[in-house]
Amino acid sequence: MSEKIALSTWPTPMEPMPRLAAALGLHEDDLWIKRDDLIGLGGGGNKVRKLEWLVGAAVEARADTLVTTGAQQSNHARLTAAAGARLGLDVVLVLPGTSDSAANASGNLVLDSLFGARVFWAGDGHPGGMADVAEDVCRQLSRDGARPYLIPFGGSSPLGARGYVEGGEEIRSQLPDVDHVVVAVGSGGTMAGLTGALGEERVLGVHCGAVADPAATVAALAGPLTPHGIAPDSLRIRTDQVGAGYGVLHEPVLEAMRTTAATEGIVLDPVYSGRAMAGLIAAVRDRDIRRGERTVFLHTGGLPGLFGHAETVHRSVTALHSCDPV
Ligand SMILES: *Cc1c(COP(=O)(O)O)cnc(C)c1O
């Protein structure tokens, strides 16, 4: 197997969240946050751990161009663009939309171009269904004399998931008695890697609506990382935070974002980490997570995505805080 290429400084911090714990009715030292949002490449986030392995394979294959897919506000696309910039590789992002989308770019799309990535607009369709378009783009690049390397949707393959086997080992060395690790499930590689390191019982995934069957997706990615394979129904996955669907804001998520920001000064994003926190809060309410148990919330990043939804988030919070000048 190929070697990984370091893209940041490790380990990321593990910090207590005593004020949020108290607000949820937990002991002050029950709740911790693993700061993968502070990973030091391209604005940070969970995709960097996967990309260390994936770009390692790309460089070993002597590729000169990274190609990947995602939603318009894809954090994975943004971090692939940053990794390419760091390593001197070209990057082509295959995203849903048309060149009109570029004119109204916000959030991650702005950063994609700042990192020098090119965008191939794939028209309308589900981001997970763009693999065929990405393969066509790779064939065209090869005809033009480039050496493309296709990185899967969300960086989620058994190879990419190795990054979160390491992430899970890091968590265990920082907090050996951890009972629960709560994580957003998008393309599934992050939960898969954590499950490989920590086992099925300790990892609680919160489905964000990006894939049709999260348990089957995570099990397929995690199986090759363990000697015995993983059964989908052995995984703990909450599906109660999907709301109206992937990327659509819903009130419990905004509530979780407000509570976390107001008690700890930590910003979550509306698509993934905010949903994961809403799932953690729901798990405390229905006693899947109890007082006296040690819980780690994995902050997977995603802050630029907030600015892809800036108006809605802004409307939902400003009404509460305006006050008259004295
Ligand atoms: C991609 C992403 C996730 C989900 O990770 P997967 O490995 O795709 O399941 C969670 N949070 C953020 C901010 C992400 O960008």
Side-chain angles (χ1 to χ4, degrees), residues 2-79:
S2 52
E3 296 291 310
K4 70 171 181 175
I5 294 177
L7 294 172
S8 188
T9 306
W10 309 102
T12 56
M14 176 73 80
E15 299 172 341
M17 292 204 285
R19 282 175 41 78
L20 179 58
L24 301 183
L26 300 172
H27 286 304
E28 287 199 345
D29 65 350
D30 283 353
L31 193 55
W32 294 70
I33 184 165
K34 174 67 169 165
R35 300 296 306 269
D36 278 9
D37 58 316
L38 299 183
I39 288 172
L41 176 79
N46 64 330
K47 300 308 180 309
V48 177
R49 288 190 192 267
K50 306 189 213 180
L51 283 164
E52 288 195 331
W53 287 94
L54 295 162
V55 298
V59 166
E60 185 171 280
R62 303 189 167 281
D64 60 11
T65 307
L66 304 175
V67 179
T68 199
T69 60
Q72 271 190 18
Q73 284 299 328
S74 167
N75 300 300
H76 164 68
R78 181 240 315 166
L79 288 165

Side-chain angles (χ1 to χ4, degrees), residues 46-47 50 75 154 156 184-190 269 272-273 300-302:
N46 64 330
K47 300 308 180 309
K50 306 189 213 180
N75 300 300
S156 284
V185 178
S187 60
T190 303
D269 81 284
Y272 295 106
S273 55
T300 46

Side-chain angles (χ1 to χ4, degrees), residues 223-298:
L225 304 172
T226 62
H228 49 276
I230 298 280
D233 60 9
S234 68
L235 296 167
R236 293 167 68 198
I237 299 185
R238 297 189 75 99
T239 56
D240 55 346
Q241 300 302 326
V242 176
Y246 176 75
V248 183
L249 297 191
H250 86 141
E251 183 48 35
V253 174
L254 292 167
E255 174 67 32
M257 290 172 66
R258 284 194 292 264
T259 306
T260 308
T263 56
E264 297 289 350
I266 286 175
V267 184
L268 305 175
D269 81 284
V271 178
Y272 295 106
S273 55
R275 275 200 164 78
M277 185 59 84
L280 186 155
I281 293 170
V284 172
R285 271 195 203 121
D286 62 26
R287 297 180 53 74
D288 186 31
I289 292 177
R290 294 157 198 247
R291 206 174 148 87
E293 294 176 339
R294 185 147 282 184
T295 298
V296 171
F297 176 80
L298 176 62

